Amino acid sequence: MPTPLDSIALSALLGEARTHSYWLPGEIPDSLLRQLYELVRQGPTAVNSCPGRFVFVRTPQGKEKLAPCLSKGNLEKTMSAPVTVIVAYDEDFPETLPELFPHADARSWYAGQSALITENALRNSSLQAGYLILAARALGLDCGPMSGFDAKALDEAFFAGTTWKSNLLINLGYGDVSKLRDRLPRLPFEKACVLA
């Protein structure tokens, strides 16, 4: 049987972890971003489809390209973050299924079904974004996931001529805990859950 994580690990992943908007100076080495992806790619997705695609925006040129796509409220915190991950999905993910799910003809399940492809790509890339947040926290990074961007402009800036589409953004770095607000409430079990 799997052993549950201890309270320190649970606290680092979810209990005490916070969404950050203010960042301490310092870069994230590319080797850590590679380590992060190695963890993310292990998370389960439907038929092992792995539709998530990740652009690690970390250079001044990349941030300059990203800036016009952001809402006013997300501009400063994104420009100051060491890395901003564009979590995207590939609408051509069925083409990888013969490699990723070789024991069935899963590619044929999606043939000619663009709505099904988009639905599954969005759902499973969102799962992968959740894995990225947990993996980043496990590696000692802080996160600031967000929407608040012009998806059409971002797709034109970063994904023109491809089958990739943006899903959400996640800022990464080392958060300035002195600027955190009090934790907002969450719904209790009785309001959010049903035992059936």
Side-chain angles (χ1 to χ4, degrees):
M1 294 293 293
T3 304
L5 296 176
D6 63 29
S7 60
I8 295 171
L10 290 173
S11 179
L13 294 178
L14 292 166
E16 295 299 320
R18 301 291 301 280
T19 295
H20 285 266
S21 296
Y22 299 94
W23 306 96
L24 300 173
E27 294 184 1
I28 298 174
D30 289 353
S31 59
L32 186 55
L33 297 176
R34 288 180 174 276
Q35 186 181 3
L36 173 61
Y37 177 71
E38 287 302 312
L39 291 172
V40 172
R41 74 187 191 120
Q42 301 305 323
T45 54
V47 295
N48 198 37
S49 56
C50 305
R53 303 293 182 264
F54 308 91
V55 178
F56 294 97
V57 182
R58 70 212 202 306
T59 65
Q61 298 85 352
K63 292 285 183 134
E64 185 177 315
K65 197 163 134 178
L66 180 60
C69 307
L70 298 169
S71 67
K72 185 178 177 182
N74 285 339
L75 185 60
E76 184 180 340
K77 62 185 172 184
T78 302
M79 291 303 103
S80 64
V83 174
T84 301
V85 186
I86 303 171
V87 179
Y89 57 89
D90 187 355
E91 290 191 322
D92 205 26
F93 79 84
E95 294 307 307
T96 64
L97 291 176
E99 175 188 354
L100 298 176
F101 199 75
H103 50 278
D105 183 16
R107 179 172 48 188
S108 68
W109 304 343
Y110 296 94
Q113 299 193 62
S114 60
L116 181 65
I117 289 170
T118 299
E119 177 187 342
N120 279 272
L122 182 60
R123 178 182 299 121
N124 287 283
S125 67
S126 297
L127 268 176
Q128 291 179 284
Y131 304 146
L132 190 145
I133 291 167
L134 293 176
R137 289 173 172 175
L139 292 172
L141 295 168
D142 292 308
C143 303
M146 60 189 174
S147 48
F149 62 94
D150 182 334
K152 183 178 179 186
L154 190 146
D155 289 351
E156 287 173 2
F158 285 87
F159 306 134
T162 76
T163 54
W164 294 18
K165 305 285 185 203
S166 56
N167 185 349
L168 69 144
L169 304 175
I170 303 174
N171 288 327
L172 295 177
Y174 302 98
D176 185 346
V177 296
S178 72
K179 295 186 178 176
L180 285 173
R181 297 177 180 169
D182 291 338
R183 181 184 286 279
L184 294 171
R186 303 297 199 265
L187 291 174
F189 185 93
E190 294 71 22
K191 288 189 176 180
C193 304
V194 175
L195 295 172

